[in-house]
Amino acid sequence: MSNAAIQDVHPPAESVAAIDEFRNHIGGEWTRSARGKTFDNPNPAHTRDIVGRFQASASTDASRAVEAAALAFESWKRTPVSKRAAILNRAADLLDANVDRNARELTREMGKSLALARDEFLRTAQTLRFYAVEGQSLTGEVFPNDDNDTTVYTLREPLGVVSVITPWNFPVSIPARKIAPALVTGNTIVFKPSSDAPLSGFRLAEALIAAGLPKGTLNFITGSAAEIGPAITEPPVIRAISFTGSTAAGEKICRSVAFTTRTQMELGGKNPLIVMEDADLDHAVDLAVKGGFSLAGQACTGTSRVLVMKQVRIEFTKRLVARVKAMKIGSGLAAGMDMGPLATERQLETVLRYIAIGKREATHLYGGERLAGPGYDGGYYVSPAIFTDVTQTMAIAREEIFGPVLAIIEVESYADAIAKANDTEYGLSAAIATSNPKIMQSFANDIQSGTVKINRTTTGNLINAPFGGLKRSSTSTFRESGRTGLEFYTQTKTVYRGA
Ligand code: NAD
């Protein structure tokens, strides 16, 4: 048992008896899987609580979803952009109206706190509204030329059928930042959420459909990647795939798709926080705790390596351990918890495996135990773990763990910190804690990372600013979010119009 503050916060099991079944949405119909199979979505805080029953779709269901999207494309493409935008706005209103129910379901299916789940749904509605506006002002360009009778300009056209494939950690905001720009620019969609948290994505699809999307425009399908993955990624009729998930899965998909399919892959990270000797140490501890342990370390931008200057390592570590010992761990439905359960049994196994590796290769300072007892039995709870004396070659310094594990690495200078921070195959997010303006300036240039944070956590990004990684954290094609998020879903035509 961890010596972190343990509370009896077990929520009552909800609707253990009656499990709601949720269907696919294909070609305008709410349908069951062709082979009649389903799978259950358990609550990671309390696995007897089944949040919903979903379709274990067959590849034939997936192919029908792709066909339906292809059939709907010409008409949706010609629908006036103001009408497309109005549907996004209506869906945002529906999501806002149901935010309490939706947030509770998100917490039950994924484990994050109710406050974070609520924020995620509000952010989702905000994303739909953002693209309703931005999508209406996306334009081409007009080019000067020597012939006064000719106008040369570009048109931005939708691509066609887009597959949207998403993970469980932000089960509604990540789908929204793909689906909203795809729809407003006139594409049709096949959307497959993660089987580990499909209900929040279902709620997003349901709101968009209730808001008036024509049949076939947005097709929602659940099932295993092995079964339906190839059907929604490999056919050349799929003109684009926007995927968020692990680097291994993203790479596999990229290698299997048609030459003409555009891909946007948002993948893993091994995000560093550098703590300089002139940093406000309490603030730096705050950045490490929030970046490393919010969402139980299950954010792609979560802090996993803390590179601390030699002069302050002992003091920083002392304060960090004290803060982490005081964290409250329990169900996301209970008020005042600092960290919830891991999202799945697979996550639990992976995290415990890395903690065992860390204990062999580094100095274990605190945490990393499977929590048991009142409030924890039946849930995937692990106490936040801290390792020190970590060196560059160790697995816990190199591999994405995606759990509540911080690796402290001592550094001797700013140059040493940058060299170690950049010594990774990933490049998603990186932060520095410093009070030196020169270092702040240099860091933005020196760090190999798509997101750069100065005196801010590695986690968190705006919906109106570009987001994506470098190296093996993203395909180096198109950024998500913000105005740039629209570009991926359109192609350019150049028109020479004579008199
Ligand atoms: P995952 O790769 O296992 O699965 C992601 C999604 O892809 C799921 O819906 C899954 O069913 C589907 N999938 C997997 N293989 C597929 C295939 N061959 N064909 C079609 N679909 C396939 O990832 P996960 O465990 O759900 O999420 C955790 C990972 O996601 C971490 O590596 C994390 O860093 C990453 N992530 C990245 C970002 C980002 O923006 N860069 C954001 C969140 C999570």
Side-chain angles (χ1 to χ4, degrees), residues 4 24 53 60 137 152 234 281 456 472:
N24 290 333
R53 182 157 287 160
T60 48
S137 57
V152 182
E234 292 176 10
L281 281 195
R456 292 289 179 271
R472 283 168 65 78

Side-chain angles (χ1 to χ4, degrees), residues 165-169 174 177 192-194 225 229 233 243-246 249 252-253 266-269 300 346 400 402 428 467:
I165 303 173
T166 53
W168 44 264
N169 65 338
I174 289 178
R177 76 181 183 220
K192 190 201 94 56
S194 166
T233 53
F243 170 93
T244 298
S246 60
K252 187 172 170 222
I253 292 170
E266 301 304 334
L267 309 170
C300 55
R346 200 176 59 252
E400 185 186 47
F402 217 56
L428 191 55
F467 175 70

